[in-house]
Amino acid sequence: MSGRLPMNRLQFVVPVRLSRGPGHPIKEIEGVAEAIAFLREWPAGRRGPVFNCAMNCCLAADAGQISTDDARRSFAGFIRISGMLVDERIGHYVVDHSHERPMRRSA
């Protein structure tokens, strides 16, 4: 026996690493239950469609309706768009500019 506990079906294979910004500690969300708890603490005034998608996916995974991997992807997407995702490879924040409109060039 390796000494490790068996993996819970709702545990993420790779934790989602996040931080609220420079000077704040890095937190690892390791499964669906932790993701739901994190989302429940999110300020009501800052909840939008991406938040709702992440919450719905995590609740659906908890109910066995979707895979844990799908819930992780949705939660990680919310964390990325919120600017809190820490890149697992280099330990830096990942900034998502995909929601910004491209600048138009003058003719």
Side-chain angles (χ1 to χ4, degrees):
M1 190 146 137
S2 67
R4 298 185 78 194
L5 295 173
M7 191 166 137
N8 176 319
R9 77 168 183 84
L10 296 175
Q11 185 176 358
F12 298 151
V13 173
V14 177
V16 176
R17 299 180 74 218
L18 63 95
S19 178
R20 296 188 185 269
H24 291 271
I26 293 175
K27 179 175 178 70
E28 289 191 346
I29 303 295
E30 297 185 352
V32 171
E34 279 186 79
I36 291 170
F38 181 89
L39 292 167
R40 285 189 171 141
E41 294 294 321
W42 194 253
R46 294 187 61 206
R47 297 177 183 185
V50 180
F51 168 89
N52 291 333
C53 180
M55 179 62 93
N56 289 339
C57 286
C58 288
L59 292 172
D62 191 46
Q65 297 170 337
I66 68 169
S67 72
T68 300
D69 192 48
D70 286 342
R72 183 199 181 280
R73 271 195 294 277
S74 180
F75 178 72
F78 167 72
I79 295 301
R80 179 181 45 82
I81 288 170
S82 299
M84 295 184 292
L85 186 66
V86 176
D87 189 303
E88 290 90 5
R89 296 163 295 171
I90 57 177
H92 292 121
Y93 299 97
V94 176
V95 179
D96 179 21
H97 296 285
S98 64
H99 63 282
E100 296 176 1
R101 293 173 39 178
M103 292 178 30
R104 289 189 175 172
R105 295 199 296 187
S106 320

XYZ file of all heavy atoms in Angstrom:
831
model
N 0.842 -1.177 0.000
C 0.000 0.000 0.000
C 0.886 1.239 0.000
O 1.863 1.320 0.713
C -0.902 -0.025 1.224
C -1.963 1.015 1.175
S -3.419 0.331 1.966
C -3.925 1.702 2.926
N 0.511 2.253 -0.784
C 1.341 3.425 -0.961
C 1.223 4.434 0.173
O 1.992 5.367 0.251
C 0.990 4.120 -2.286
O -0.323 4.654 -2.204
N 0.236 4.314 1.035
C 0.059 5.278 2.103
C -0.846 6.430 1.712
O -1.216 7.245 2.536
N -1.213 6.511 0.436
C -2.117 7.567 -0.017
C -3.550 7.081 0.107
O -3.841 5.912 -0.095
C -1.822 7.926 -1.468
C -0.416 8.481 -1.648
C -0.185 8.939 -3.041
N -0.844 10.227 -3.158
C -1.102 10.833 -4.315
N -0.769 10.272 -5.441
N -1.697 12.002 -4.355
N -4.430 7.998 0.411
C -5.845 7.655 0.489
C -6.401 7.476 -0.915
O -5.935 8.111 -1.857
C -6.615 8.768 1.204
C -6.255 8.977 2.671
C -6.969 10.215 3.212
C -6.617 7.769 3.487
N -7.405 6.611 -1.089
C -8.006 6.467 -2.411
C -8.667 7.781 -2.829
O -9.198 8.515 -2.004
C -9.038 5.355 -2.235
C -9.226 5.182 -0.776
C -8.033 5.768 -0.094
N -8.607 8.065 -4.134
C -9.158 9.315 -4.631
C -10.679 9.267 -4.642
O -11.282 8.329 -5.152
C -8.630 9.579 -6.038
C -8.930 10.956 -6.524
S -7.947 11.303 -7.975
C -9.174 12.087 -8.977
N -11.306 10.264 -4.078
C -12.743 10.427 -4.072
C -13.186 10.727 -5.503
O -12.496 11.439 -6.222
C -13.067 11.590 -3.122
C -14.529 11.951 -3.066
O -15.237 11.977 -4.068
N -14.979 12.238 -1.877
N -14.332 10.250 -5.921
C -14.790 10.492 -7.296
C -15.019 11.968 -7.585
O -15.033 12.384 -8.725
C -16.042 9.679 -7.612
C -17.309 10.247 -7.003
C -18.568 9.588 -7.568
N -19.748 10.192 -7.023
C -20.321 11.303 -7.476
N -19.815 11.935 -8.497
N -21.402 11.796 -6.906
N -15.182 12.777 -6.544
C -15.408 14.207 -6.730
C -14.148 15.039 -6.523
O -14.194 16.256 -6.498
C -16.524 14.690 -5.790
C -17.898 14.086 -6.067
C -18.900 14.537 -5.017
C -18.391 14.430 -7.462
N -13.021 14.367 -6.388
C -11.740 15.060 -6.241
C -11.176 15.347 -7.628
O -11.250 14.518 -8.525
C -10.773 14.185 -5.447
C -9.456 14.856 -5.147
C -8.564 13.980 -4.279
O -8.951 12.886 -3.875
N -7.374 14.451 -4.016
N -10.614 16.546 -7.815
C -10.005 16.895 -9.088
C -8.693 16.143 -9.249
O -7.932 15.992 -8.290
C -9.721 18.396 -9.172
C -10.941 19.283 -9.089
C -10.836 20.556 -8.556
C -12.179 18.873 -9.557
C -11.946 21.392 -8.488
C -13.290 19.684 -9.487
C -13.177 20.956 -8.947
N -8.407 15.667 -10.454
C -7.141 14.998 -10.732
C -5.995 15.991 -10.528
O -4.961 15.670 -9.961
C -7.123 14.408 -12.165
C -5.757 13.857 -12.513
C -8.193 13.338 -12.305
N -6.197 17.233 -10.998
C -5.232 18.323 -10.812
C -5.968 19.453 -10.098
O -6.976 19.946 -10.607
C -4.682 18.823 -12.169
C -3.749 20.007 -11.962
C -3.991 17.704 -12.924
N -5.505 19.865 -8.918
C -6.182 20.961 -8.215
C -6.171 22.256 -9.029
O -5.287 22.474 -9.851
C -5.361 21.147 -6.938
C -4.562 19.902 -6.792
C -4.352 19.364 -8.175
N -7.164 23.102 -8.791
C -7.201 24.434 -9.391
C -6.480 25.359 -8.419
O -6.867 25.484 -7.265
C -8.653 24.911 -9.623
C -8.670 26.337 -10.153
C -9.390 23.964 -10.562
N -5.390 25.978 -8.902
C -4.590 26.880 -8.061
C -5.027 28.310 -8.309
O -5.100 28.739 -9.443
C -3.109 26.713 -8.371
C -2.620 25.288 -8.083
C -1.159 25.120 -8.390
N -0.405 25.787 -7.337
C 0.719 26.473 -7.526
N 1.234 26.584 -8.725
N 1.331 27.044 -6.522
N -5.312 29.035 -7.224
C -5.769 30.405 -7.362
C -5.181 31.277 -6.274
O -4.719 30.792 -5.242
C -7.298 30.468 -7.335
C -7.987 30.007 -6.038
C -8.281 31.195 -5.146
C -9.260 29.264 -6.376
N -5.200 32.556 -6.540
C -4.790 33.553 -5.559
C -5.575 34.817 -5.837
O -5.872 35.141 -6.984
C -3.293 33.840 -5.644
O -2.940 34.846 -4.715
N -5.887 35.537 -4.789
C -6.641 36.785 -4.936
C -5.760 37.941 -5.380
O -6.238 39.040 -5.566
C -7.374 37.104 -3.648
C -8.421 36.058 -3.332
C -9.275 36.461 -2.159
N -10.203 35.412 -1.792
C -11.429 35.293 -2.263
N -11.875 36.166 -3.138
N -12.214 34.322 -1.871
N -4.467 37.685 -5.563
C -3.574 38.710 -6.079
C -2.214 38.660 -5.429
O -1.978 37.873 -4.506
N -1.297 39.497 -5.919
C 0.045 39.532 -5.349
C -0.013 39.794 -3.838
O -0.798 40.613 -3.366
C 0.724 40.699 -6.084
C -0.048 40.819 -7.366
C -1.459 40.443 -7.018
N 0.790 39.070 -3.103
C 0.808 39.204 -1.655
C -0.188 38.306 -0.945
O -0.160 38.187 0.278
N -1.086 37.695 -1.706
C -2.052 36.765 -1.126
C -1.555 35.340 -1.342
O -0.905 35.049 -2.347
C -3.429 36.930 -1.774
C -4.092 38.224 -1.442
N -4.903 38.385 -0.351
C -4.039 39.434 -2.053
C -5.331 39.630 -0.311
N -4.810 40.287 -1.339
N -1.864 34.446 -0.434
C -1.386 33.063 -0.597
C -2.072 32.361 -1.768
O -3.167 32.735 -2.183
C -1.778 32.400 0.725
C -2.901 33.221 1.265
C -2.658 34.634 0.775
N -1.398 31.357 -2.281
C -1.976 30.506 -3.319
C -2.803 29.439 -2.621
O -2.362 28.817 -1.662
C -0.876 29.876 -4.193
C -0.178 30.971 -5.004
C -1.460 28.810 -5.117
C 1.007 30.485 -5.806
N -4.017 29.257 -3.093
C -4.934 28.258 -2.538
C -5.174 27.198 -3.600
O -5.297 27.521 -4.775
C -6.245 28.939 -2.150
C -7.288 28.010 -1.583
C -8.495 28.810 -1.119
C -9.604 27.929 -0.589
N -9.325 27.286 0.661
N -5.218 25.968 -3.183
C -5.532 24.874 -4.100
C -6.926 24.346 -3.798
O -7.208 23.933 -2.670
C -4.507 23.751 -3.983
C -3.159 24.116 -4.549
C -2.222 22.931 -4.685
O -2.492 21.857 -4.109
O -1.212 23.090 -5.383
N -7.766 24.370 -4.801
C -9.110 23.791 -4.694
C -8.994 22.377 -5.250
O -8.697 22.187 -6.424
C -10.148 24.627 -5.479
C -10.161 26.078 -5.013
C -11.529 23.986 -5.387
C -10.609 26.312 -3.590
N -9.220 21.396 -4.400
C -8.921 20.007 -4.765
C -10.117 19.171 -5.194
O -9.941 18.024 -5.595
C -8.192 19.334 -3.607
C -6.854 19.997 -3.322
C -6.049 19.287 -2.255
O -6.575 18.351 -1.608
O -4.891 19.677 -2.068
N -11.309 19.726 -5.102
C -12.456 18.923 -5.503
C -13.729 19.734 -5.596
O -13.752 20.942 -5.325
N -14.788 19.051 -5.961
C -16.085 19.673 -6.186
C -16.606 20.344 -4.913
O -17.083 21.483 -4.961
C -17.094 18.632 -6.728
C -18.504 19.192 -6.757
C -16.679 18.163 -8.124
N -16.508 19.686 -3.771
C -17.031 20.263 -2.527
C -16.315 21.570 -2.182
O -16.962 22.552 -1.789
C -16.906 19.266 -1.385
N -14.998 21.605 -2.351
C -14.243 22.836 -2.085
C -14.619 23.930 -3.075
O -14.693 25.107 -2.705
C -12.737 22.588 -2.176
C -12.128 21.986 -0.942
C -10.620 21.915 -1.082
O -9.956 22.948 -0.891
O -10.123 20.816 -1.393
N -14.826 23.562 -4.336
C -15.215 24.546 -5.351
C -16.582 25.144 -5.009
O -16.770 26.361 -5.096
C -15.235 23.902 -6.738
N -17.516 24.301 -4.612
C -18.849 24.794 -4.231
C -18.742 25.736 -3.035
O -19.354 26.814 -3.026
C -19.811 23.617 -3.938
C -20.133 22.863 -5.237
C -21.093 24.113 -3.263
C -20.877 21.548 -5.031
N -17.960 25.368 -2.032
C -17.792 26.223 -0.855
C -17.184 27.568 -1.253
O -17.620 28.624 -0.780
C -16.924 25.522 0.184
N -16.178 27.538 -2.134
C -15.553 28.775 -2.613
C -16.584 29.637 -3.336
O -16.676 30.847 -3.090
C -14.376 28.459 -3.543
C -13.678 29.681 -4.055
C -12.632 30.238 -3.337
C -14.070 30.281 -5.240
C -11.985 31.389 -3.800
C -13.431 31.423 -5.711
C -12.385 31.982 -4.985
N -17.354 29.044 -4.225
C -18.347 29.789 -4.996
C -19.442 30.364 -4.100
O -19.924 31.480 -4.339
C -18.945 28.901 -6.088
C -17.983 28.500 -7.210
C -18.572 27.388 -8.058
C -17.608 29.708 -8.065
N -19.831 29.648 -3.067
C -20.869 30.155 -2.152
C -20.402 31.397 -1.394
O -21.222 32.198 -0.966
C -21.301 29.062 -1.185
C -22.179 28.036 -1.857
C -22.799 27.064 -0.908
N -23.788 26.253 -1.609
C -23.984 24.971 -1.403
N -23.290 24.327 -0.482
N -24.892 24.323 -2.090
N -19.097 31.540 -1.236
C -18.541 32.710 -0.555
C -18.359 33.896 -1.505
O -18.050 34.997 -1.063
C -17.184 32.355 0.072
C -17.273 31.335 1.186
C -18.030 31.857 2.405
O -17.857 33.036 2.752
O -18.796 31.078 2.999
N -18.533 33.688 -2.802
C -18.323 34.743 -3.789
C -19.380 35.830 -3.604
O -20.565 35.526 -3.434
C -18.426 34.146 -5.197
C -17.911 35.039 -6.270
C -18.666 35.716 -7.185
C -16.549 35.370 -6.547
N -17.845 36.436 -8.023
C -16.541 36.246 -7.649
C -15.338 35.001 -5.972
C -15.382 36.772 -8.183
C -14.176 35.521 -6.502
C -14.201 36.392 -7.593
N -18.997 37.098 -3.621
C -19.957 38.188 -3.396
C -21.121 38.158 -4.395
O -20.904 38.036 -5.601
C -19.121 39.464 -3.590
C -17.696 39.030 -3.435
C -17.638 37.601 -3.867
N -22.330 38.289 -3.877
C -23.528 38.217 -4.720
C -23.507 39.258 -5.834
O -23.937 38.976 -6.957
C -24.782 38.373 -3.861
N -22.980 40.428 -5.566
C -22.944 41.489 -6.560
C -21.961 41.249 -7.690
O -21.997 41.950 -8.697
N -21.095 40.253 -7.540
C -20.104 39.951 -8.579
C -20.419 38.642 -9.305
O -19.604 38.128 -10.047
C -18.702 39.874 -7.954
C -18.251 41.230 -7.420
C -16.827 41.206 -6.952
N -15.938 40.858 -8.046
C -14.751 40.274 -7.885
N -14.308 39.993 -6.677
N -13.998 39.984 -8.911
N -21.593 38.114 -9.073
C -21.986 36.859 -9.730
C -22.621 37.177 -11.081
O -23.438 38.066 -11.201
C -22.972 36.094 -8.857
C -22.366 35.674 -7.543
C -23.349 34.974 -6.650
N -22.718 34.650 -5.370
C -23.301 33.960 -4.423
N -24.538 33.496 -4.580
N -22.652 33.720 -3.295
N -22.216 36.411 -12.078
C -22.758 36.605 -13.422
C -22.904 35.261 -14.112
O -22.893 34.211 -13.466
N -23.017 35.269 -15.437
C -23.249 34.024 -16.175
C -22.129 32.997 -16.023
O -22.405 31.799 -15.950
C -23.381 34.461 -17.630
C -23.404 35.938 -17.647
C -23.047 36.441 -16.290
N -20.876 33.429 -15.980
C -19.772 32.472 -15.850
C -19.782 31.863 -14.445
O -19.563 30.661 -14.272
C -18.418 33.134 -16.186
C -17.275 32.145 -16.039
C -18.439 33.698 -17.596
N -20.068 32.682 -13.441
C -20.228 32.177 -12.079
C -21.354 31.141 -12.042
O -21.196 30.057 -11.485
C -20.548 33.323 -11.100
C -21.000 32.831 -9.752
C -20.075 32.581 -8.754
C -22.338 32.591 -9.487
C -20.476 32.099 -7.520
C -22.756 32.105 -8.261
C -21.825 31.864 -7.271
N -22.507 31.493 -12.623
C -23.662 30.586 -12.612
C -23.332 29.267 -13.285
O -23.727 28.194 -12.803
C -24.870 31.242 -13.279
C -25.422 32.385 -12.452
O -25.281 32.419 -11.238
N -26.036 33.348 -13.123
N -22.613 29.330 -14.389
C -22.214 28.105 -15.091
C -21.323 27.242 -14.195
O -21.531 26.037 -14.073
C -21.513 28.462 -16.392
S -20.985 27.015 -17.330
N -20.329 27.874 -13.554
C -19.423 27.127 -12.674
C -20.184 26.498 -11.519
O -19.984 25.320 -11.195
C -18.315 28.045 -12.161
N -21.062 27.260 -10.893
C -21.837 26.729 -9.762
C -22.736 25.584 -10.220
O -22.785 24.525 -9.589
C -22.655 27.838 -9.100
C -23.507 27.345 -7.930
S -22.541 26.663 -6.551
C -22.374 28.134 -5.554
N -23.447 25.783 -11.328
C -24.341 24.735 -11.824
C -23.579 23.459 -12.167
O -24.052 22.351 -11.890
C -25.136 25.234 -13.029
C -26.185 26.260 -12.636
O -26.603 26.343 -11.485
N -26.600 27.072 -13.599
N -22.410 23.608 -12.776
C -21.612 22.430 -13.133
C -21.122 21.701 -11.885
O -21.148 20.464 -11.825
C -20.439 22.819 -14.022
S -20.936 23.213 -15.715
N -20.676 22.454 -10.900
C -20.199 21.809 -9.663
C -21.341 21.100 -8.944
O -21.170 19.975 -8.449
C -19.531 22.841 -8.752
S -17.920 23.396 -9.356
N -22.508 21.728 -8.895
C -23.664 21.088 -8.260
C -24.095 19.852 -9.046
O -24.463 18.824 -8.450
C -24.813 22.085 -8.134
C -24.579 23.239 -7.154
C -25.707 24.268 -7.261
C -24.426 22.743 -5.726
N -24.026 19.923 -10.372
C -24.388 18.770 -11.203
C -23.406 17.623 -11.006
O -23.808 16.451 -10.945
C -24.452 19.175 -12.674
N -22.124 17.933 -10.870
C -21.132 16.883 -10.607
C -21.381 16.252 -9.244
O -21.299 15.029 -9.090
C -19.718 17.456 -10.678
N -21.720 17.080 -8.263
C -22.017 16.571 -6.917
C -23.213 15.617 -6.941
O -23.244 14.639 -6.211
C -22.282 17.756 -5.981
C -22.342 17.340 -4.528
O -21.462 16.577 -4.080
O -23.270 17.794 -3.826
N -24.167 15.897 -7.825
C -25.358 15.054 -7.960
C -25.139 13.872 -8.906
O -26.048 13.074 -9.127
C -26.535 15.896 -8.450
N -23.932 13.775 -9.490
C -23.630 12.667 -10.394
C -24.164 12.856 -11.797
O -24.232 11.904 -12.570
N -24.530 14.081 -12.157
C -25.115 14.336 -13.471
C -24.079 14.661 -14.543
O -24.362 14.496 -15.732
C -26.132 15.469 -13.365
C -27.296 15.114 -12.462
C -28.178 16.306 -12.154
O -27.746 17.454 -12.231
N -29.416 16.026 -11.792
N -22.915 15.176 -14.142
C -21.825 15.420 -15.089
C -20.531 14.941 -14.441
O -20.482 14.668 -13.240
C -21.705 16.904 -15.525
C -21.251 17.787 -14.363
C -23.004 17.415 -16.144
C -20.862 19.194 -14.796
N -19.485 14.882 -15.231
C -18.212 14.387 -14.705
C -17.526 15.439 -13.836
O -17.739 16.651 -13.996
C -17.276 13.998 -15.853
O -16.788 15.157 -16.509
N -16.703 14.967 -12.939
C -15.895 15.847 -12.108
C -14.960 16.675 -12.976
O -14.728 17.857 -12.707
C -15.097 15.019 -11.084
O -16.036 14.307 -10.271
C -14.229 15.880 -10.198
N -14.449 16.078 -14.045
C -13.547 16.796 -14.954
C -14.255 17.971 -15.626
O -13.679 19.052 -15.766
C -12.980 15.835 -15.992
C -11.833 16.440 -16.768
O -10.922 17.015 -16.144
O -11.849 16.334 -18.015
N -15.509 17.773 -16.033
C -16.270 18.877 -16.626
C -16.503 19.989 -15.608
O -16.413 21.171 -15.938
C -17.604 18.389 -17.191
C -17.445 17.600 -18.480
O -16.382 17.710 -19.129
O -18.392 16.864 -18.831
N -16.802 19.613 -14.367
C -16.991 20.614 -13.313
C -15.700 21.376 -13.061
O -15.703 22.600 -12.893
C -17.474 19.945 -12.031
N -14.565 20.679 -13.060
C -13.276 21.328 -12.854
C -12.996 22.334 -13.963
O -12.556 23.447 -13.714
C -12.136 20.311 -12.789
C -10.791 20.967 -12.490
C -9.608 20.086 -12.876
N -8.355 20.745 -12.549
C -7.789 21.700 -13.308
N -8.365 22.118 -14.427
N -6.647 22.240 -12.937
N -13.270 21.938 -15.205
C -13.038 22.844 -16.335
C -13.872 24.117 -16.190
O -13.393 25.224 -16.427
C -13.351 22.157 -17.663
C -12.161 21.426 -18.245
C -12.390 21.075 -19.712
N -13.451 20.104 -19.910
C -13.280 18.796 -19.800
N -12.103 18.292 -19.498
N -14.287 17.974 -19.995
N -15.114 23.956 -15.809
C -15.989 25.109 -15.651
C -15.516 26.004 -14.504
O -15.458 27.232 -14.638
C -17.422 24.631 -15.391
O -18.276 25.732 -15.229
N -15.166 25.397 -13.370
C -14.680 26.163 -12.224
C -13.372 26.874 -12.561
O -13.205 28.064 -12.271
C -14.506 25.247 -11.010
C -13.969 25.953 -9.805
C -14.753 26.844 -9.091
C -12.671 25.735 -9.380
C -14.246 27.515 -7.976
C -12.154 26.387 -8.275
C -12.954 27.285 -7.568
N -12.448 26.169 -13.208
C -11.165 26.771 -13.583
C -11.378 27.926 -14.564
O -10.681 28.940 -14.496
C -10.230 25.726 -14.177
N -12.344 27.787 -15.457
C -12.663 28.865 -16.386
C -13.148 30.105 -15.648
O -12.758 31.230 -15.961
N -13.998 29.899 -14.644
C -14.473 31.024 -13.832
C -13.309 31.696 -13.107
O -13.192 32.921 -13.102
C -15.515 30.540 -12.819
C -15.821 31.557 -11.761
C -16.553 32.698 -12.065
C -15.369 31.383 -10.471
C -16.824 33.649 -11.091
C -15.631 32.327 -9.491
C -16.364 33.461 -9.806
N -12.420 30.900 -12.536
C -11.269 31.443 -11.809
C -10.354 32.193 -12.786
O -9.850 33.271 -12.469
C -10.515 30.319 -11.072
C -11.410 29.709 -9.978
C -9.204 30.811 -10.492
C -11.895 30.688 -8.931
N -10.153 31.657 -13.981
C -9.314 32.318 -14.985
C -9.908 33.660 -15.389
O -9.222 34.679 -15.395
C -9.144 31.415 -16.215
C -8.311 32.045 -17.325
C -8.175 31.130 -18.533
N -9.406 30.489 -18.956
C -10.343 31.059 -19.719
N -10.204 32.289 -20.138
N -11.420 30.384 -20.059
N -11.184 33.685 -15.699
C -11.848 34.914 -16.122
C -11.865 35.943 -14.993
O -11.797 37.144 -15.227
C -13.264 34.606 -16.651
C -13.136 33.918 -18.012
C -14.126 35.853 -16.741
C -14.408 33.351 -18.562
N -11.899 35.468 -13.759
C -11.882 36.363 -12.598
C -10.481 36.892 -12.293
O -10.311 37.701 -11.388
C -12.436 35.636 -11.369
O -13.770 35.253 -11.600
N -9.472 36.392 -13.022
C -8.104 36.869 -12.849
C -7.382 36.279 -11.651
O -6.386 36.829 -11.197
N -7.857 35.147 -11.161
C -7.252 34.545 -9.972
C -6.486 33.255 -10.245
O -5.879 32.698 -9.336
C -8.335 34.252 -8.918
C -8.983 35.492 -8.373
S -10.165 35.109 -7.066
C -11.445 34.267 -7.988
N -6.522 32.767 -11.485
C -5.875 31.497 -11.789
C -4.365 31.637 -11.745
O -3.797 32.569 -12.312
C -6.303 30.991 -13.176
C -5.817 29.600 -13.557
C -6.441 28.539 -12.658
C -6.147 29.309 -15.008
N -3.718 30.711 -11.075
C -2.259 30.656 -11.022
C -1.831 29.533 -11.951
O -2.296 28.402 -11.827
C -1.755 30.400 -9.583
C -0.243 30.241 -9.561
C -2.194 31.527 -8.661
N -0.959 29.846 -12.903
C -0.486 28.851 -13.863
C 0.286 27.771 -13.126
O 1.248 28.064 -12.418
C 0.386 29.519 -14.917
C 0.730 28.581 -16.053
O 1.299 27.502 -15.785
O 0.456 28.928 -17.206
N -0.141 26.535 -13.287
C 0.483 25.420 -12.583
C 1.949 25.241 -12.937
O 2.740 24.794 -12.137
C -0.271 24.107 -12.880
C -1.635 24.020 -12.260
C -2.739 24.569 -13.151
O -2.463 24.939 -14.317
O -3.883 24.650 -12.685
N 2.329 25.601 -14.154
C 3.694 25.349 -14.609
C 4.690 26.367 -14.087
O 5.822 26.039 -13.791
C 3.742 25.324 -16.135
C 2.934 24.176 -16.732
C 2.675 24.413 -18.181
N 1.815 25.599 -18.259
C 1.496 26.223 -19.366
N 1.955 25.809 -20.503
N 0.718 27.271 -19.353
N 4.275 27.635 -13.995
C 5.248 28.658 -13.649
C 4.912 29.446 -12.399
O 5.692 30.261 -11.947
C 5.461 29.638 -14.837
C 4.130 30.265 -15.255
C 6.161 28.956 -15.985
C 4.248 31.295 -16.357
N 3.739 29.214 -11.807
C 3.377 29.896 -10.579
C 3.004 31.358 -10.757
O 3.017 32.116 -9.804
N 2.633 31.766 -11.971
C 2.237 33.146 -12.219
C 0.754 33.203 -12.528
O 0.138 32.214 -12.913
C 3.028 33.740 -13.389
C 4.466 33.931 -13.069
N 5.464 33.338 -13.780
C 5.078 34.637 -12.085
C 6.639 33.670 -13.267
N 6.426 34.452 -12.239
N 0.206 34.389 -12.400
C -1.194 34.601 -12.699
C -1.417 34.523 -14.200
O -0.593 34.957 -14.979
C -1.663 35.973 -12.192
C -1.511 36.098 -10.718
C -0.397 36.730 -10.176
C -2.445 35.549 -9.867
C -0.241 36.813 -8.811
C -2.289 35.624 -8.503
C -1.189 36.267 -7.979
O -1.024 36.346 -6.636
N -2.567 33.999 -14.567
C -2.955 33.935 -15.964
C -3.985 35.029 -16.165
O -5.008 35.055 -15.493
C -3.564 32.555 -16.306
C -4.056 32.526 -17.734
C -2.557 31.463 -16.047
N -3.708 35.946 -17.059
C -4.625 37.049 -17.321
C -5.375 36.739 -18.605
O -4.770 36.466 -19.640
C -3.868 38.387 -17.441
C -4.838 39.519 -17.732
C -3.076 38.655 -16.174
N -6.688 36.773 -18.516
C -7.521 36.475 -19.672
C -8.047 37.775 -20.259
O -8.749 38.516 -19.601
C -8.686 35.583 -19.241
C -9.614 35.247 -20.388
O -9.184 35.348 -21.547
O -10.761 34.873 -20.119
N -7.688 38.044 -21.501
C -8.174 39.231 -22.191
C -9.185 38.858 -23.274
O -9.558 39.710 -24.066
C -7.007 39.998 -22.828
C -6.043 40.528 -21.818
N -6.321 41.616 -21.038
C -4.821 40.096 -21.444
C -5.302 41.856 -20.232
N -4.382 40.942 -20.462
N -9.652 37.626 -23.301
C -10.537 37.178 -24.374
C -11.885 37.897 -24.352
O -12.556 37.973 -25.368
C -10.749 35.669 -24.300
O -11.423 35.331 -23.106
N -12.289 38.425 -23.202
C -13.571 39.107 -23.119
C -13.488 40.561 -23.586
O -14.501 41.219 -23.750
C -14.090 39.064 -21.677
C -13.190 39.784 -20.711
N -12.034 39.204 -20.252
C -13.266 41.004 -20.166
C -11.437 40.072 -19.432
N -12.157 41.160 -19.364
N -12.265 41.054 -23.799
C -12.088 42.430 -24.244
C -12.321 42.524 -25.741
O -11.998 41.616 -26.494
C -10.680 42.921 -23.901
C -10.438 42.982 -22.409
C -9.009 43.364 -22.068
O -8.216 43.588 -22.998
O -8.714 43.434 -20.875
N -12.864 43.650 -26.166
C -13.112 43.860 -27.592
C -11.818 44.286 -28.267
O -11.075 45.098 -27.731
C -14.179 44.909 -27.783
C -15.527 44.412 -27.286
C -16.586 45.427 -27.292
N -16.567 46.310 -28.430
C -17.449 47.248 -28.646
N -18.414 47.432 -27.816
N -17.365 48.036 -29.709
N -11.559 43.735 -29.448
C -10.334 44.155 -30.158
C -10.432 45.608 -30.574
O -11.521 46.123 -30.838
C -10.280 43.229 -31.365
C -11.649 42.668 -31.505
C -12.317 42.748 -30.168
N -9.299 46.266 -30.617
C -9.261 47.661 -31.040
C -9.408 47.723 -32.567
O -8.850 46.892 -33.284
C -7.942 48.316 -30.626
C -7.825 48.461 -29.140
S -6.262 49.162 -28.586
C -5.735 50.224 -29.856
N -10.158 48.697 -33.014
C -10.302 48.883 -34.464
C -9.158 49.740 -34.971
O -8.766 50.694 -34.312
C -11.614 49.567 -34.788
C -12.793 48.684 -34.579
C -14.010 49.358 -35.117
N -15.136 48.449 -35.019
C -16.365 48.807 -35.263
N -16.651 50.041 -35.633
N -17.345 47.945 -35.155
N -8.674 49.347 -36.105
C -7.620 50.147 -36.728
C -8.265 51.219 -37.592
O -9.277 50.995 -38.232
C -6.707 49.256 -37.568
C -5.960 48.278 -36.704
C -4.789 47.723 -37.384
N -5.106 46.919 -38.559
C -4.208 46.235 -39.213
N -2.952 46.247 -38.832
N -4.536 45.535 -40.257
N -7.633 52.383 -37.591
C -8.134 53.481 -38.434
C -7.816 53.172 -39.886
O -6.784 52.621 -40.201
C -7.472 54.804 -38.083
O -7.321 54.947 -36.730
N -8.706 53.586 -40.751
C -8.490 53.351 -42.175
C -7.608 54.407 -42.776
O -7.369 55.447 -42.320
C -9.825 53.317 -42.910
